């Protein structure tokens, strides 16, 4: 059961039925009857809002899975101040992977002036704060709200939401014809993805623009999918956007993926799923159950992962899979549970059209897209190369960025009337420029912009001419020569390139290789070593260098790289680690005789694991750095393609191997494809079991300590009482003996002291041996 706190404006709820947000949220739509079984709503207003932020209160914020701040709830000063005074708690709450939806807050919006500063509403942590600027039009019903990210989970599950549905709800509701009163401008645009925007109304003023798209942002979500924050200037609850509101509820409460479980009611084989579903719900792993659903209907459900009951035959599962594959955009992983006679457990047999793109990689690409404008990735040709090569390799959208990059590059080319082109007359930067232009042209990113395409082709040819001319210059450094050679070799030289003498190019490359080899590579920087490795293998492929000679060099370079890699997998920093690891992955994929070496494999695995560990899930990137993020994301994508498993799933699979086997008795190959949600389920179930076991052991240990302590105390008191009784009888029966004892009291005192000291030593030894009986440890 998920618990949702709904904060409302109590006066509006008391006087207007459309303002009853809880009732709107409770209405079952795509979730059907499962909604009432899955969700419980708790209403807060100005009278009890303080309880959300009382540590010991049962209604403390952290006891809820998500929070909805209903339309105009902050009109109440008590609600507004509660949020503004507890931003650190809200940040901690979001950091725990929980969600918050903020609907329209009219009194927090302001009019835009030319010199307006984006100060924020003050109700969120600084990195997520935003401003609401009143629209210049008189009516809130004007404009047209369109979906900017149609494939986003918010628009697809559990209800399909499109532009027509949004427009219909805006025009037909119990509130009034209403779209929005203000538009959202985040203080840090890179932290958000725009989901809904008004593309029809006049664009944003330049002072408010944060992306290449100048449309007004109406509904935004945090770019980091773990910290699920949604802010909007729409009165979603009052205007009856029920489908979109239910999608948002599922998103902020359950996350971006729900396991779909297909059952066959009434079958004995289906009963095995009960135990797994109970565990999943206890661990609050989001699950949707579909009993006896037809294949055609099942194909309409938008799940990334479907688990099919063992009650279904393989033929039936093939039918389900065929129906899913009718949709060309199908990205579902289907798992069929089949009994395993040997272990008595189950195996998960997976069907998938392709390996899922790594979640970290996708988040990083989205962050890079958000940070492009207005800073243009630091306006660095190196950054352009790192980002463009990553996006091109993984088929991310480049069309929006490509013309801007071409125009920027043109500004850095000399204006003299010459066919030769360079980037500010700098050799290594010009080599980077050549690679960027080549990638933009080969990827098709400029295919719809003929002017930019012609410009890029001309600059590319001019750069080749300038660089090949520079290769003849004996004064350029060995490192610069290597940059030029690699840039030229990475182009498709099977096509004739005007002005390029391949024979001469090969001679210069061979001479460069010999110069490095004469120094035994030891003077090379780490990234330079990776570049020389690439150059060596290329020369071997071209037949310019002898196989045995290159093999010897490769072994030496790999040994040096292994020596320089730390135990944690780093080469100096995360950016350098990613660049070296990427080179090793690319070369392994390109040169078959290079792949499969133990040293190289170990270097790659340690590098990838290091990169995964350095990922900042709160920011959705690596150290908030463009270059490091682009390289690291490129590594994960390359790793994914080579082994067919996303990198984060691969390493998570290794870590949960024993737990997974105990859970379903699967094999290691199946484990590699189980996905993040299954890993999360296993981890949470393992944590629950560990806590339960720990609690049981602690209780049993405490009972033993109490019993032993009570026994020791009882025996001690009984012994002292008996001794006192014996002494009393002796004194009464033999008074002369008592007088003698009193007369010799000094001797008895000394002997008693010695006896007490010996008793303390003995008791101390026993106490230590019994594990500090009187002070039992916590665990």
């Amino acid at each position: 059961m998920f618990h949702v706190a709904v904060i409302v404006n109590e006066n509006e709820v008391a006087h207007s039925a459309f303002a009853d947000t809880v009732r709107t949220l409770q209405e079952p739509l795509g979730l059907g009857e499962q909604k009432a079984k899955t969700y419980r709503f708790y209403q807060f207003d100005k009278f009890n809002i303080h309880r959300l932020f009382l540590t010991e209160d049962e209604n403390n914020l952290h006891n809820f899975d998500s929070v909805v701040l209903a339309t105009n709830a902050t009109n109440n000063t008590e609600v507004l101040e509660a949020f503004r005074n507890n931003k650190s708690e809200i940040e901690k709450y979001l950091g725990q992977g929980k969600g918050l939806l903020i609907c329209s807050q009219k009194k927090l919006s302001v009019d835009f002036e030319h010199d307006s500063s984006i100060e924020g509403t003050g109700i969120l942590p600084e990195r997520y704060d935003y401003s609401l600027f009143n629209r210049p039009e008189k009516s809130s019903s004007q404009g047209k709200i369109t979906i900017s990210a149609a494939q986003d989970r918010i628009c697809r599950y559990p209800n399909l939401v499109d532009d027509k549905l949004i427009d219909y709800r805006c025009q037909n509701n119990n509130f009034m014809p209403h779209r929005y009163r203000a538009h959202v401008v985040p203080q840090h645009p890179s932290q958000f993805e725009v989901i809904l925007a008004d593309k029809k109304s006049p664009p944003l003023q330049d002072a408010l623009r944060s992306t290449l798209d100048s449309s007004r942002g109406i509904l935004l979500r945090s770019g980091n999918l773990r910290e699920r924050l949604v802010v909007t200037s729409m009165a979603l609850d009052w205007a009856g956007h029920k489908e979109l509101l239910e999608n948002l509820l599922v998103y902020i409460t359950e996350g971006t993926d729900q396991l779909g479980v297909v059952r066959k009611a009434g079958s004995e084989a289906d009963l095995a799923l009960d135990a797994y579903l109970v565990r999943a719900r206890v661990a609050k792993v989001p699950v949707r159950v579909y009993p006896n659903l037809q294949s055609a209907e099942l194909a309409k459900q938008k799940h990334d992962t479907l688990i099919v009951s063992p009650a279904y035959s393989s033929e039936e599962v093939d039918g389900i899979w065929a129906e899913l594959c009718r949709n060309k955009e199908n990205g579902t992983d289907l798992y069929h549970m089949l009994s395993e006679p040997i272990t008595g457990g189950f195996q998960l047999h997976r069907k998938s059209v392709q390996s899922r793109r790594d979640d970290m990689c996708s988040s990083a690409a989205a962050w890079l897209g958000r940070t492009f404008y207005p800073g243009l990735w630091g306006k660095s040709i190196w950054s352009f190369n790192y980002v463009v090569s990553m996006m091109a390799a993984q088929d991310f959208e480049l069309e929006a960025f490509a013309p801007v990059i071409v125009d920027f590059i043109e500004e850095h080319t000399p204006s003299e009337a010459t066919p030769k082109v360079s980037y500010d007359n700098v050799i290594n930067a010009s080599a980077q420029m050549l690679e960027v232009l080549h990638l933009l042209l080969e990827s098709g990113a400029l295919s719809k912009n003929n002017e930019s395409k012609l410009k890029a082709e001309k600059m590319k040819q001019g750069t080749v001419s300038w660089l090949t001319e520079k290769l003849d210059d004996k004064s350029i450094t060995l490192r610069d020569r290597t940059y030029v050679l690699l840039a030229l070799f990475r182009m498709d030289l099977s096509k004739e390139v005007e002005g390029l003498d391949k024979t001469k190019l090969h001679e210069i490359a061979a001479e460069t290789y010999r110069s490095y080899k004469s120094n035994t590579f030891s003077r090379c920087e780490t990234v330079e070593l990776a570049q020389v490795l690439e150059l060596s293998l290329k020369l071997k492929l071209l037949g310019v260098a002898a196989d045995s000679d290159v093999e010897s060099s490769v072994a030496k370079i790999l040994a040096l790289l292994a020596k320089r890699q730390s135990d944690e997998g780093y080469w100096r920093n995360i950016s350098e680690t990613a660049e070296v690891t990427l080179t090793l992955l690319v070369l392994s994929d390109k040169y078959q005789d290079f792949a499969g070496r133990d040293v190289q494999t170990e270097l790659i695995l340690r590098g990838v694991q290091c990169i995964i560990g350095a990922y900042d899930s709160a920011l959705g990137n690596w150290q908030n750095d463009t270059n490091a993020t682009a390289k690291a994301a490129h590594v994960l994508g390359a790793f994914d393609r080579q082994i067919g498993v996303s990198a984060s799933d691969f390493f998570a699979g290794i870590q949960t191997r024993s737990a997974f086997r105990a859970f379903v008795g699967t094999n290691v190959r199946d484990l590699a494809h189980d996905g993040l949600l299954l890993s999360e389920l296993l981890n949470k179930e393992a944590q629950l079991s560990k806590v339960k076991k720990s609690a049981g052991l602690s209780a049993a240990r405490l009972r033993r300590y109490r019993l032993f302590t009570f026994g020791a105390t009882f025996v001690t008191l009984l012994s002292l009482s008996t001794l006192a009784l014996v002494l009393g009888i002796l004194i009464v029966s033999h008074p002369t003996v008592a007088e003698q004892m009193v007369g010799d009291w000094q001797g008895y005192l000394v002997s008693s002291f010695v006896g007490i000291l010996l008793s303390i030593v003995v008791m101390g030894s026993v106490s230590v041996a019994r594990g500090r009986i009187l002070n039992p440890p916590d665990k």
Side-chain angles (χ1 to χ4, degrees):
M1 178 71 73
F2 293 109
H3 301 273
V4 183
V6 184
I7 306 167
V8 301
N9 183 315
E10 55 82 27
N11 185 61
E12 296 286 359
V13 173
H15 296 94
S16 304
F18 60 74
D20 191 347
T21 305
V22 170
R23 187 177 65 180
T24 304
L25 288 169
Q26 287 175 330
E27 187 171 339
L29 296 167
L31 294 180
E33 62 181 16
Q34 292 189 56
K35 191 171 190 177
K37 299 176 182 178
T38 307
Y39 283 90
R40 181 171 295 171
F41 301 94
Y42 302 79
Q43 184 167 294
F44 292 84
D45 53 36
K46 69 178 184 179
F47 297 110
N48 63 350
I49 185 67
H50 64 281
R51 297 188 64 184
L52 277 177
F53 301 102
L54 292 178
T55 305
E56 301 301 328
D57 198 295
E58 65 179 353
N59 286 320
N60 176 264
L61 174 69
H62 298 283
N63 292 331
F64 293 95
D65 298 293
S66 62
V67 176
V68 176
L69 188 62
T71 296
N72 289 347
T74 56
N75 283 8
N76 294 135
T77 304
E78 294 84 353
V79 173
L80 179 59
E81 292 305 313
F83 268 73
R84 284 180 170 172
N85 294 334
N86 292 279
K87 287 185 286 188
S88 61
E89 283 302 305
I90 294 170
E91 184 168 30
K92 188 187 302 182
Y93 179 78
L94 291 171
Q96 292 171 347
K98 298 185 177 184
L100 170 62
L101 165 64
I102 302 179
C103 293
S104 174
Q105 306 298 321
K106 186 176 184 300
K107 287 193 175 181
L108 297 183
S109 61
V110 296
D111 292 327
F112 174 76
E113 302 295 342
H114 182 68
D115 58 348
S116 291
S117 59
I118 305 176
E119 296 181 352
T121 61
I123 63 175
L124 287 172
E126 192 268 341
R127 64 190 170 93
Y128 281 140
D129 207 357
Y130 63 97
S131 293
L132 290 167
F133 288 104
N134 292 320
R135 59 185 303 176
E137 298 84 12
K138 292 183 179 180
S139 173
S140 64
S141 64
Q142 290 181 250
K144 181 176 178 58
I145 297 175
T146 56
I147 296 173
S148 298
Q151 294 305 310
D152 196 275
R153 188 75 172 176
I154 288 173
C155 303
R156 297 189 299 122
Y157 181 82
N159 306 288
L160 184 62
V161 176
D162 56 20
D163 293 346
K164 290 183 179 179
L165 178 60
I166 291 175
D167 191 62
Y168 176 82
R169 291 299 185 195
C170 287
Q171 297 290 342
N172 302 275
N173 57 72
N174 295 325
F175 176 41
M176 62 186 228
H178 173 81
R179 286 184 169 82
Y180 65 97
R181 296 188 186 277
H183 55 87
V184 182
V185 179
Q187 285 189 299
H188 299 283
S190 64
Q191 297 292 337
F192 287 92
E193 288 277 1
V194 177
I195 306 301
L196 301 181
D198 181 359
K199 298 179 181 293
K200 182 178 180 180
S201 298
L204 293 174
Q205 298 89 334
D206 288 342
L208 297 179
R209 281 187 62 185
S210 58
T211 66
L212 290 174
D213 186 356
S214 59
S215 303
R216 302 175 186 176
I218 307 301
L219 186 146
L220 292 73
R221 68 160 173 81
S222 54
N224 174 14
L225 295 175
R226 185 175 183 275
E227 296 184 344
R228 297 188 295 274
L229 170 67
V230 178
V231 298
T232 180
S233 56
M234 297 175 69
L236 294 174
D237 43 354
W238 291 12
H241 291 269
K242 299 176 183 179
E243 297 82 4
L244 178 57
L245 202 58
E246 185 174 75
N247 287 11
L248 289 168
L249 172 67
V250 171
Y251 170 71
I252 64 171
T253 309
E254 303 183 30
T256 57
D257 189 19
Q258 290 75 31
L259 290 173
V261 178
V262 186
R263 306 195 64 173
K264 183 176 284 189
S267 170
E268 184 175 346
D270 187 77
L271 297 177
L273 275 170
D274 289 339
Y276 302 112
L277 291 173
V278 169
R279 293 186 185 110
R281 285 171 178 146
V282 169
K284 289 194 174 181
V285 171
V287 175
R288 291 284 173 270
V289 178
Y290 300 101
N292 303 325
L293 198 64
Q294 296 299 315
S295 297
E297 288 299 313
L298 189 60
K300 297 178 183 179
Q301 308 306 317
K302 304 296 182 181
H303 289 283
D304 290 335
T305 306
L306 279 177
I307 300 177
V308 182
S309 164
Y312 284 82
S313 66
S314 297
E315 290 74 20
E316 289 175 309
V317 172
D318 288 341
I320 294 173
W321 181 246
E323 197 66 43
L324 286 171
C325 290
R326 289 180 184 274
N327 180 3
K328 293 181 180 179
E329 297 180 356
N330 171 41
T332 302
D333 285 346
L334 185 147
Y335 296 88
H336 186 200
M337 288 183 68
L338 292 177
S339 59
E340 173 55 61
I342 297 176
T343 63
F346 292 92
Q347 283 191 338
L348 290 175
H349 287 246
R350 177 181 184 253
K351 292 179 181 291
S352 180
V353 291
Q354 60 183 5
S355 172
R356 284 190 302 117
R357 181 183 282 148
D358 191 276
D359 292 334
M360 294 181 188
C361 180
S362 298
S363 297
W367 178 80
L368 289 167
R370 296 194 301 272
T371 56
F372 178 70
Y373 186 87
L376 306 186
W377 296 322
K379 298 182 178 180
S380 164
I381 192 65
W382 297 84
S383 298
F384 287 149
N385 195 11
Y386 298 139
V387 178
V388 170
S389 61
M390 183 276 289
M391 289 190 165
Q394 299 183 49
D395 298 322
F396 284 115
E397 180 60 55
L398 273 170
E399 285 186 7
F401 313 121
V404 181
I405 294 173
V406 170
D407 289 342
F408 178 82
I409 289 175
E410 186 180 34
E411 294 175 5
H412 286 263
T413 58
S415 57
E416 308 93 62
T418 172
K420 296 183 176 64
V421 176
S422 69
Y423 188 92
D424 291 339
N425 288 312
V426 178
I427 294 176
N428 56 16
S430 299
Q432 300 298 302
M433 178 177 75
L434 176 61
E435 292 190 37
V436 172
L437 293 171
H438 178 70
L439 287 167
L440 291 178
L441 289 166
E442 291 297 309
S443 66
L446 294 169
S447 59
K448 296 180 180 179
N449 191 319
N450 196 51
E451 181 182 352
S452 294
K453 182 180 178 181
L454 292 174
K455 194 185 300 182
E457 288 173 341
K458 182 179 179 181
M459 286 193 292
K460 175 184 173 181
Q461 183 58 51
T463 308
V464 170
S465 299
W466 190 85
L467 289 174
T468 52
E469 182 181 81
K470 287 296 178 182
L471 281 176
D472 284 334
D473 187 348
K474 302 297 183 182
S475 65
I476 70 170
T477 66
L478 194 62
R479 187 78 183 274
D480 278 348
R481 188 178 292 117
T482 304
Y483 277 116
V484 174
L485 289 168
L486 290 179
L488 294 171
F489 281 139
R490 287 167 184 168
M491 293 167 54
D492 186 3
L493 296 182
S494 61
K495 300 175 183 177
E496 288 299 323
V497 179
E498 185 179 346
L500 184 62
D501 185 338
K502 295 179 186 177
T503 303
K504 190 171 184 180
L505 179 66
H506 294 172
E507 290 174 357
I508 295 172
E511 181 185 345
T512 303
Y513 167 69
R514 287 192 294 271
S515 298
Y516 275 115
K517 187 182 175 186
S518 65
N519 291 321
T520 65
F521 313 111
S522 58
R523 297 180 184 177
C524 294
E525 297 291 337
T526 303
V527 170
E528 189 177 8
L529 275 176
Q531 293 171 322
V532 177
L533 179 64
E534 181 179 353
L535 180 63
S536 304
L537 292 170
K538 181 66 175 180
L539 294 179
K540 177 183 175 182
L541 180 67
L542 294 171
V544 176
D547 289 3
S548 58
D549 186 51
V550 171
E551 279 298 314
S552 174
S553 297
V554 168
K556 290 176 182 177
I557 292 172
L558 290 176
L560 282 171
L561 288 175
K563 184 178 180 180
R564 295 182 185 182
Q565 189 179 37
S566 71
D567 293 339
E568 294 78 21
Y570 278 98
W571 280 290
R572 202 162 64 91
N573 55 50
I574 194 63
S575 183
E576 186 171 291
T577 301
E579 188 162 354
V580 175
T581 306
L582 177 61
T583 301
L584 294 173
L585 277 166
V586 170
L587 296 180
S588 298
D589 186 49
K590 190 172 183 179
Y591 301 103
Q592 293 298 317
D593 55 346
F594 177 69
R597 302 165 191 250
D598 291 342
V599 175
Q600 161 220 337
T601 302
E602 180 68 19
L603 292 176
I604 291 174
L605 289 177
R606 289 170 67 183
V608 172
Q609 193 161 12
C610 167
I611 288 167
I612 292 172
Y615 177 72
D616 190 330
S617 59
L619 298 174
N621 60 45
W622 280 265
Q623 298 182 355
N624 230 17
D625 182 79
T626 298
N627 295 353
T629 297
K631 294 180 208 176
H634 201 161
V635 167
L636 298 187
F639 187 87
D640 184 355
R641 287 194 307 276
Q642 285 195 27
I643 70 168
V645 185
S646 74
S648 51
D649 286 0
F650 177 81
F651 286 101
I654 292 174
Q655 293 164 2
T656 58
R657 181 178 302 165
S658 59
F660 195 82
R661 283 186 170 175
F663 191 65
V664 293
T666 190
N667 56 42
V668 178
R669 179 63 182 171
D670 289 332
L671 172 63
H673 295 287
D674 66 347
L676 293 175
L677 268 178
L678 291 178
S679 297
E680 182 184 358
L681 171 58
L682 297 174
N683 286 330
K684 287 186 176 180
E685 186 182 9
Q687 290 170 9
L688 290 172
S689 301
K690 184 178 180 181
V691 169
K692 180 179 178 182
K693 182 178 180 181
S694 176
L697 290 173
S698 297
R701 190 180 294 114
L702 185 58
R703 285 195 296 271
R704 291 198 300 271
Y705 283 131
R706 287 174 175 170
L707 181 62
F708 189 84
T709 302
F710 174 77
T713 303
F714 177 77
V715 171
T716 302
L717 291 175
L718 182 62
S719 301
L720 290 174
S721 300
T722 304
L723 180 59
L725 179 62
V726 171
L727 288 174
I729 294 172
L730 286 173
I731 292 170
V732 173
S733 304
H734 303 279
T736 55
V737 174
E739 292 175 1
Q740 185 179 358
M741 289 175 65
V742 172
D744 296 335
W745 65 273
Q746 294 94 340
Y748 288 112
L749 182 61
V750 172
S751 61
S752 298
F753 177 76
V754 173
I756 292 171
L757 185 62
L758 289 172
S759 299
I760 291 174
V761 172
V762 172
M763 287 297 292
S765 301
V766 172
S767 178
V768 171
R770 297 293 298 177
R772 297 186 181 91
I773 294 171
L774 297 179
N775 296 287
D778 294 333
K779 295 183 178 180

